[in-house]
Amino acid sequence: MKLQRKNRLRATALGALAVSSALVLTACGSDNNSGSSTGGSGEKTSAASNIKCDDAKGQLLASGSSAQKNAMDLWVKDYMAGCKGVEINYKSSSSGEGIIAFNQGTVGFAGSDSALKPEEVADSKKICKTGQGINLPMVGGPIAIGFHLEGVDSLTLDAPTLAKIFDGKIKKWNDPAIAKLNKGAKLPDKAIQAFHRSEDSGTTQNLGKYLAATAPNDWKYEPEKKWPAPGGQAASGSAGVAAQVKQVDGSIGYFELSYASSQSISTVDINTGGSAPVKATPENASKAIAAAKIKGTGKDLALDLDYTTKAEGAYPIVLVTYEVVCDSGNKAETLPTVKSFLNYTASDEGQKVLTDAGYAPIPTEINAKVRETIASLS
């Protein structure tokens, strides 16, 4: 009995020591505002160590593009780890909803996969009392064409064929146009189920710009945020379209590469007319985005993308997501946090996390102008 009592006392003491040690480690950790954390290997797992919080404080609301959701999740996590007491709340909805929220004055910034239209800029002047809304390119990437076809792991399509699929003109997977681009593939006699976004979407508009530019005889629709073609099936957000493609055999849809990567969805290689079909990768998207030109004026940095590129290895179906802010007239209570957070997302560290998440960093020359503009916001 004495031996058992000794063992119980020894176990209690060891347990108390373990709890005490854990509390000490927790207390030490609570004073660490660097935002860096360590995994089992002891290596840093956060890029927050060099974030400049400046006068950021309180809660910042933002909303918009679901295309940048996975990038925004990483940015928000790192930023909030580095800036204790600051809360960034980004609601992933759609580009259209984000711009509406921005022009209603309910968010500090909006995410949009398409630059502001003239009428949206005009509306923004009611909120940006001394200025107007401007576009800051923050994250780029490929719009992946995801597909789910049992027995087929690799698929090549070109712009005219894609246009006919999404317009309901090509209805079967063994259609001669698809077979011609995939010689040797065993394509089933199965109906194609094409999915598109149900709400106004910059991703939809960018896909439309690509199809209109590269297959004008087969895609007669104006590139708008609302899906223009008849037929097909609708789903909410990039996540919704990806979920449907993941589940439905015979399906095809469009969404950012990060959604395909995270769910192991096969993606289409694009025949651009170059020497070989081009895969949807961040690196290949960067080659296309690098050729973009700034078309905005003043502090507006809206870009002109070349969807018709035939450059070797350049993936042509790309988008750039903008953070929409006031150039001047931002709300005094949120301006420091907006500037601090966007300074991080545009920093070398902020851009570095994009590639692993399936996105493409903004080209260095353009990003330098983004940083200058963020510093000048008032």
Side-chain angles (χ1 to χ4, degrees), residues 231-242:
Q233 301 180 59
S236 178
S238 292
V241 175

Side-chain angles (χ1 to χ4, degrees), residues 302-318:
L303 301 178
D304 187 13
L305 298 170
D306 181 11
Y307 297 98
T308 63
T309 181
K310 290 181 174 59
E312 291 302 315
Y315 184 83
I317 318 177
V318 295

Side-chain angles (χ1 to χ4, degrees), residues 335-359:
L335 177 61
T337 308
V338 168
K339 292 179 71 171
S340 173
F341 179 66
L342 295 184
N343 269 327
Y344 167 61
T345 63
S347 70
D348 288 340
E349 282 190 337
Q351 290 289 297
K352 195 179 296 180
V353 304
L354 295 177
T355 303
D356 289 341
Y359 294 97

Side-chain angles (χ1 to χ4, degrees), residues 103 116-128 131-133:
N103 282 341
L116 293 167
K117 296 179 180 178
E119 59 268 28
E120 291 169 338
V121 173
D123 285 344
S124 73
K125 293 179 181 179
K126 301 170 187 175
I127 299 301
C128 309
Q132 65 182 41

Side-chain angles (χ1 to χ4, degrees), residues 19 67 116 124-125 131 211 275 299 311 320 351:
V19 171
L116 293 167
S124 73
K125 293 179 181 179
L211 294 174
S275 63
K299 293 184 179 180
V320 167
Q351 290 289 297

Side-chain angles (χ1 to χ4, degrees), residues 33 48 50-57 79-84 86 336-337 339-341:
N33 291 329
N50 295 323
I51 292 175
K52 295 180 180 179
C53 304
D54 296 325
D55 297 320
K57 60 183 178 181
Y79 181 83
M80 289 173 56
C83 297
K84 301 298 183 181
V86 182
T337 308
K339 292 179 71 171
S340 173
F341 179 66

Side-chain angles (χ1 to χ4, degrees), residues 102-120:
F102 178 77
N103 282 341
Q104 290 176 341
T106 60
V107 295
F109 71 88
S112 177
D113 307 326
S114 294
L116 293 167
K117 296 179 180 178
E119 59 268 28
E120 291 169 338

